Amino acid sequence: AYTAGDYELALSYFLQSNRLAPNKNVAFNAARCFAQLGRYPEAYRWYMDAAAGISDPAAKKTLDAEVAAILPKVTVFDLQSD
C-alpha cells in the first residue's frame, strides 16, 4: 500500500501491526506515512518512538534526515517541571 501511494491504508496496517507487537521498524514506517499525509506532528512523535530503538548508524542517519525534513513544519517544546 505504501509503495502504491495509499498512505492511509498503509498507515492503518502499520498501526494495527504496532498494536499487536510494538516495533521500531513499524514505528518508522508509520512516521513516514504520517509525513506523506502532511500530519507532521504525528510523524515527529512516531519518528521519536522509532529513534529510541535504533542502534544501526545507517538507519539512524536515515531517520535523522527524515526528521530534519519535517522539523520546520512542527513546533517542539521541552517542558520540565519539579
Side-chain angles (χ1 to χ4, degrees), residues 29 38 45 55 57 61 68:
N29 290 333
R45 177 196 166 255
S55 57
K61 185 176 179 181

Side-chain angles (χ1 to χ4, degrees), residues 43-60:
Y44 181 83
R45 177 196 166 255
W46 283 88
Y47 279 131
M48 294 302 100
D49 286 350
I54 291 182
S55 57
D56 176 49
K60 176 132 177 54

